[in-house]
Amino acid sequence: MLSYRHSFHAGNHADVVKHIVQSLILNSLKNKDKPFVYHDTHSGVGRYDLTHEWSEKTGEYKQGIARVWAQSERPAAIQSYLDAITSLNNGEGLRYYPGSPRVARAHLRPQDRMLLTELHPSDYPLLQQEFHRDRQVSIFKEDGFQRLKASLPPQERRGLVLIDPPYELAKEYRDVVQAIAQSYKRWATGIYAIWYPVVNRCDIEDMIEGLEGLGIRKILQIELGVSPDTNERGMTASGMIVINPPWTLERDMNDILPFLKEAIAPVTGHWKVDWIVPE
Ligand code: SAM
């Protein structure tokens, strides 16, 4: 279908949580000198101009990164995420927002590499241009789940897979479970981070039930809500389900989420960090 364009949503509260979790995991991988791989199944374009008419039309970033950016005191643990934004803007203000590939690139060392897939005919060339001649980055115009299956296990045997589909179709929740089942068989020690929106809570409950049924241990759920669940249209919360999280992630998100709730949705916000399946 491919009607989803991330430019409308870049920098919203869901991106903030997703990219903070991504940064924390990548920082943990840097604790060892050994190389790691970052694999992004649904990459988008990598960089978003918040002054673009699509961003301005929804104004979603104003309820997300703009509120975090305005805080005078921020948790030290989100510094590398903020640095990724600062470096895109040459230290001046908040015009460009990094998508997950740019957040990842800011955390890569010379020995690390990243692999990106993006299927949209307009977004793929922009992503290619963003990383033109970058030898640490490989980009594929392929289905993200197919490429993931073909790429595992990675030669490095350490790394993060970010799974961030648009969820335009209900089927995509089941596709995620299937992708995890296939990937885990090939690479059980990888870190998998699955982003999810709370639009219909039932879809998330079904996806979690599917993941529980795979017999995988160490599955952590992280969520930030901006308003209570509702039957009306719209995303009220979002989260990340992380398989094999670094041990510091639970602790760090327990510190960071109260800050994000206060910054983004002080009255109606809610958050949680819970084990879906513990060790
Ligand atoms: N991960 C990005 C970030 O955090 O900046 C945002 C990704 S956006 C939620 C989802 C992207 O997946 C869209 O750019 C869309 O074009 C792309 N997409 C949709 N179906 C795809 C597929 N089957 N394989 C790869 N990419 C796909």
Side-chain angles (χ1 to χ4, degrees), residues 2 4 6 15 18-19 40-45 48 98-101 117-120 123 142-145 162 164-166 172 195:
L2 291 176
Y4 180 92
H6 197 64
D15 261 8
K18 178 194 350 175
H19 297 147
D40 203 322
T41 58
H42 299 73
S43 297
V45 302
Y48 299 92
S100 51
T117 44
E118 173 54 51
L119 210 47
H120 197 286
D123 286 355
E142 284 179 31
D143 173 70
F145 293 131
L162 176 67
D164 184 17
E172 286 177 276
W195 178 80

Side-chain angles (χ1 to χ4, degrees), residues 39-131:
H39 188 130
D40 203 322
T41 58
H42 299 73
S43 297
V45 302
R47 168 195 302 252
Y48 299 92
D49 183 347
L50 299 177
T51 65
H52 188 281
E53 62 179 298
W54 291 359
S55 279
E56 288 296 348
K57 185 172 176 192
T58 61
E60 288 189 23
Y61 77 91
K62 294 178 187 158
Q63 269 77 49
I65 185 57
R67 295 208 171 161
V68 173
W69 205 251
Q71 302 300 308
S72 51
E73 288 189 22
R74 300 115 161 207
I78 71 167
Q79 194 55 48
S80 76
Y81 161 68
L82 297 171
D83 288 346
I85 302 172
T86 306
S87 66
L88 267 198
N89 290 286
N90 295 323
E92 289 171 24
L94 176 65
R95 173 170 178 182
Y96 296 105
Y97 183 79
S100 51
R102 265 281 156 225
V103 172
R105 188 66 186 89
H107 289 79
L108 248 54
R109 307 160 300 180
Q111 66 267 44
D112 306 321
R113 69 181 171 105
M114 57 194 237
L115 191 158
L116 311 172
T117 44
E118 173 54 51
L119 210 47
H120 197 286
S122 306
D123 286 355
Y124 171 74
L126 295 173
L127 184 64
Q128 262 196 323
Q129 201 181 316
E130 180 69 25
F131 295 103

